């Protein structure tokens, strides 16, 4: 059974940091790219990072570039999103999702127009709240 399970969300003050984790199982990681998406209340789902498992290539939109870093731990089948200098506008439910072969859903990626719903495997999300 394929599973993507997010954890690490919570309440943090503006300027603070959080690290989200995505535990993945049930599929061959080398064949996929793992993206992080977020959805704020009343807004569309937004792709905010992607890492291609095979070579570590990453993509970020301008809204988080320089503040968020995605990484993997192949030995644990984990993908992480380190979020620094958080802002109230980062408040959202954060999801991880897997796309086959290459990154998608993030500006600059090979398939930027694909959305969270187009990803092959999707997690259920973790809530991040940033207070001002």
């Amino acid at each position: 059974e394929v599973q993507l399970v997010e954890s690490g969300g919570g309440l943090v003050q503006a300027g603070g940091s959080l690290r989200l984790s995505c535990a993945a199982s049930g599929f061959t990681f080398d064949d996929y790219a793992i993206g992080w998406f977020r959805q704020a209340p009343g807004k569309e789902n937004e792709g905010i990072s992607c890492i291609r498992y095979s070579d570590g290539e990453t993509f970020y939109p301008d809204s988080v570039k320089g503040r968020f870093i995605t990484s993997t731990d192949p030995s644990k089948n984990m993908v992480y999103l380190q979020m620094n200098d958080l802002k109230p506008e980062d408040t959202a439910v954060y999801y991880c999702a897997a796309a086959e072969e290459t990154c998608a859903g993030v500006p600059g990626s090979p398939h930027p127009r694909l959305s969270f719903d187009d990803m092959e495997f999707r997690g259920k999300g973790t809530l991040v709240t940033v207070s001002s």
Side-chain angles (χ1 to χ4, degrees), residues 3-7 20-24 27 29 31-39 45-54 56-61 64 68-72 77-83 93-107 109-112 114-126:
Q3 281 193 318
L4 291 171
V5 181
E6 304 92 340
S7 62
L20 304 184
S21 300
C22 175
F27 60 97
F29 278 39
D31 296 336
Y32 287 84
I34 306 296
W36 285 94
F37 294 77
R38 68 184 180 186
Q39 187 161 23
N45 205 302
E46 174 190 14
I48 57 168
S49 75
C50 188
I51 185 166
R52 188 162 62 186
Y53 218 85
S54 59
E57 186 176 25
T58 57
F59 299 91
Y60 305 91
V64 306
F68 290 10
I69 301 171
T70 188
S71 61
T72 65
N77 289 350
M78 296 290 292
V79 181
Y80 303 101
L81 183 67
Q82 177 67 41
M83 306 187 295
V93 178
Y94 284 70
Y95 304 86
C96 63
E100 193 168 5
E101 292 188 359
T102 193
C103 280
V106 179
S109 70
H111 303 288
L114 296 183
S115 70
F116 175 70
D117 290 338
D118 295 318
M119 299 300 109
E120 186 161 353
F121 309 126
R122 301 181 296 275
K124 296 186 183 302
T126 185

